[in-house]
Amino acid sequence: MDQQERARRASAARRAAGDLATRGIADVAVTWVDTSGVTRVKAVPLARLEHAAAWGIGMSPVFDAFLIDDSIASGRFAGGPVGDLRLHPDLGRLAVLSACPGWAWAPADRYDQEGEPHPLDARSLAAREVARLAASGLSVKAAFEVEWAVSIGDGDDFVPACAGPAYGMIRLTERAGYLRDVVGALSAAGVAVEQIHPEYAAGQYEVSVAPEDPVGAADTFVLVRETIRAVSQNHGLRATFSPKVLADGVGNGAHIHLSLWRDGDNLMAGGEGRFGLTAGGEGFAAGILARLPGLLAVGAPSVASYLRLVPSHWAGAYACWGLENREAALRFVTGAAGSRSQAANLEVKCFDAAANPYLALAALLAAGAAGLAEDGTLPEPVEVDPASLEGVPPLPSSLGAAVEAFETDAVLKEVLGEGLVDTIAVVRRGEIALFDGMAPEEIAARTRWRH
Ligand code: GLU
Ligand code: MG
């Protein structure tokens, strides 16, 4: 980052601070997401935003090696007490945290003291993968589905905040004021809410938001979760986005919808392939499907993720794809006739909210790009519950197995780079050791309030 860029950011921050002041904002939370998927923060008073934008906010690089319980793994590329990074808020994504009066928020890119992007920074990596596709004339639209479960009070035990049936109107009525405030706070923060509904599991709800560019989608995922968390707290409730809130039953997914575009055309529709896929759309999907076992180390990164990722829970535990198949890891969605050129997309169902969303999207884009480069083709789609068929490969059933697949995936290794690959593996193994020998109930309980 040169002096000119610093000056440009300073003047943008001056303008933004003036605007925020008129809206009663006093402080700005600047977040980034660590390797374990935990959102970390430093905050500045509004008067300091200009300095933060130009020079960043100091933060230790040790957090790359933090585990879910705030203990620290020690890797070759992260984990020591020495060094410092600069968090540079992206002012293009400034939003008001409407459920936290007086607060605004911006996501950070992490730079080193020389002004170079930090090699382990996931948001910068996602932006690089977006740029790499753009160099081939391609862009991706993405959106995270946000599932969460709501508990009454502020205790650590999970006490479902609604009692009505899954997808039931009773659940909406029971918490109508809360859900209205969730939608209101999200809209006030600039999030384009498309839908909200009661989900299947105890106390569970879901929000869908409009697709946007991948980095923006990951930012939105962070903003949506923190907004829901704050609204919940304001209502005397507690929100959990954990992959498995209770050891039994259905978990929280964080499905990622992806469509690939060239010159304004959605390559997931209007083609000669199955369900209208173009060759490019199919190659992209095939690249992801082929690499799902390794991708899980990024997208289902917690020990608790594998309590969720089981057959017959709509979590997508099989390495297959299918049209509207909710037990396939890749659910292909065409949308209704007449809307397909806009609506068709690929849903990655096996990921959850323990994932660092920037890392998850960077890895998916890398896998998709590799599939395009090798003219990948998809196998036969699966049209029934894959558990009812012989021979559909299950995805890794443990974090250890996913990490092994990750470490042998040449594409992910190349794109993520040695430092990130090593750090991810060290953190995952640290968490495997942390939860070693624990019963599912205890794993769920210790993971429940971390994301
Ligand atoms: N809650 C399910 C999961 O763990 C997903 C349900 C759905 O298909 O929306 O992913
Ligand atoms: Mg859902």
Side-chain angles (χ1 to χ4, degrees):
M1 187 175 308
D2 59 20
Q3 291 303 112
Q4 214 181 348
E5 176 62 14
R6 291 188 196 278
R8 194 191 64 73
R9 288 180 182 228
S11 80
R14 263 196 310 278
R15 283 196 303 278
D19 175 52
L20 290 173
T22 64
R23 297 160 75 185
I25 299 299
D27 303 288
V28 183
V30 180
T31 62
W32 65 281
V33 184
D34 76 9
T35 317
S36 271
V38 174
T39 300
R40 311 270 176 193
V41 67
K42 286 252 176 129
V44 290
L46 204 50
R48 189 74 176 169
L49 186 63
E50 181 180 334
H51 186 273
W55 297 102
I57 308 165
M59 193 157 195
S60 165
V62 75
F63 293 96
D64 286 317
F66 259 48
L67 305 187
I68 192 171
D69 69 339
D70 290 345
S71 62
I72 303 169
S74 130
R76 283 188 295 137
F77 297 87
V82 178
D84 208 18
L85 296 170
R86 313 301 303 175
L87 304 180
H88 283 268
D90 182 345
L91 299 177
R93 264 321 292 253
L94 260 179
V96 169
L97 292 178
S98 46
C100 301
W103 283 91
W105 162 89
D109 292 310
R110 295 182 300 153
Y111 286 76
D112 66 18
Q113 297 282 38
E114 303 309 312
E116 296 297 325
H118 174 45
L120 305 189
D121 185 53
R123 192 171 188 270
S124 310
L125 177 70
R128 278 204 298 282
E129 284 309 291
V130 169
R132 209 156 64 86
L133 282 168
S136 314
L138 294 164
S139 63
V140 166
K141 284 191 195 172
F144 285 81
E145 279 180 21
V146 186
E147 293 185 337
W148 80 102
V150 193
S151 183
I152 295 172
D154 56 7
D156 286 346
D157 287 344
F158 181 77
V159 185
C162 53
Y167 298 86
M169 181 62 194
I170 293 175
R171 276 201 199 182
L172 187 149
T173 308
E174 284 177 282
R175 291 291 170 190
Y178 166 66
L179 296 173
R180 178 206 59 217
D181 286 353
V182 165
V183 175
L186 290 171
S187 303
V191 174
V193 176
E194 292 199 334
Q195 192 192 124
I196 187 162
H197 68 264
E199 250 290 346
Y200 186 88
Q204 195 180 35
Y205 293 96
E206 174 174 332
V207 156
S208 308
V209 299
E212 54 195 312
D213 77 276
V215 176
D219 290 336
T220 296
F221 188 52
V222 173
L223 177 60
V224 168
R225 276 186 295 165
E226 296 318 315
T227 301
I228 290 174
R229 204 185 318 277
V231 174
S232 305
Q233 195 178 293
N234 295 345
H235 278 260
L237 303 169
R238 205 170 178 194
T240 165
F241 303 86
S242 173
K244 198 76 169 178
V245 177
L246 298 168
D248 292 327
V250 167
N252 287 320
H255 311 166
I256 303 181
H257 292 260
L258 299 166
S259 53
L260 181 70
W261 297 71
R262 188 197 297 277
D263 300 330
D265 291 328
N266 181 359
L267 302 186
M268 298 294 173
E272 303 288 301
R274 284 158 289 182
F275 318 122
L277 271 167
T278 67
E282 176 162 354
F284 190 81
I288 291 174
L289 180 59
R291 291 172 181 83
L292 276 180
L295 284 166
L296 282 188
V298 170
S302 162
V303 172
S305 299
Y306 296 83
L307 300 176
R308 164 187 171 261
L309 193 54
V310 290
S312 307
H313 287 60
W314 285 16
Y318 286 90
C320 62
W321 76 294
L323 179 66
E324 292 292 9
N325 189 337
R326 289 183 171 80
E327 286 293 344
L330 295 186
R331 169 182 170 226
F332 190 63
V333 182
T334 58
S339 73
R340 291 180 179 152
S341 62
Q342 293 302 310
N345 70 84
L346 185 70
E347 180 185 24
V348 180
K349 277 191 75 89
C350 48
F351 283 17
D352 64 60
N356 175 322
Y358 305 99
L359 214 45
L361 276 168
L364 287 172
L365 264 45
L372 274 168
E374 62 208 16
D375 293 324
T377 54
L378 287 164
E380 285 304 306
V382 171
E383 287 162 358
V384 294
D385 184 345
S388 69
L389 298 177
E390 292 289 320
V392 182
L395 285 171
S397 59
S398 70
L399 184 55
V403 174
E404 273 172 35
F406 172 69
E407 285 179 314
T408 53
D409 189 308
V411 166
L412 296 179
K413 270 163 82 167
E414 192 193 324
V415 171
L416 271 57
E418 193 188 0
L420 202 42
V421 168
D422 187 77
T423 304
I424 289 169
V426 162
V427 166
R428 302 292 177 262
R429 295 212 163 94
E431 293 194 2
I432 291 168
L434 190 67
F435 290 109
D436 187 36
M438 281 185 203
E441 291 75 21
E442 195 172 356
I443 296 169
R446 288 185 186 228
T447 308
R448 193 176 293 143
W449 305 113
R450 307 304 290 174
H451 300 102

